[in-house]
Amino acid sequence: MKGVSIFIISLWLLTMPHYVSASSLFAVTKAQLQTTMITFLGEAADETGEFGVIDRETGVRV
């Protein structure tokens, strides 16, 4: 379920700039988006606050 949520948020973030500019968003919407992004980044980072990726050739996290 978490993977699906991340996919939906990512898709939304990728398509959002094409339809809405930041100046047309309400302050509450901006705050909610900021909270969502901070939560995602906090959950995606490891215990030291770093982000890792998997090397596709070796399968090793770098």
Side-chain angles (χ1 to χ4, degrees):
M1 184 66 182
K2 183 178 178 182
V4 173
S5 299
I6 291 172
F7 173 76
I8 291 171
I9 291 170
S10 300
L11 184 61
W12 180 74
L13 289 173
L14 289 173
T15 59
M16 192 67 180
H18 301 288
Y19 300 106
V20 178
S21 68
S23 61
S24 66
L25 293 175
F26 293 111
V28 172
T29 305
K30 290 178 185 179
Q32 289 171 336
L33 178 58
Q34 182 180 16
T35 301
T36 301
M37 292 171 62
I38 290 170
T39 300
F40 169 76
L41 292 173
E43 291 176 357
D46 65 12
E47 55 278 345
T48 63
E50 296 178 339
F51 297 92
V53 294
I54 305 297
D55 184 332
R56 291 180 187 228
E57 293 179 11
T58 64
V60 176
R61 184 177 185 268
V62 292

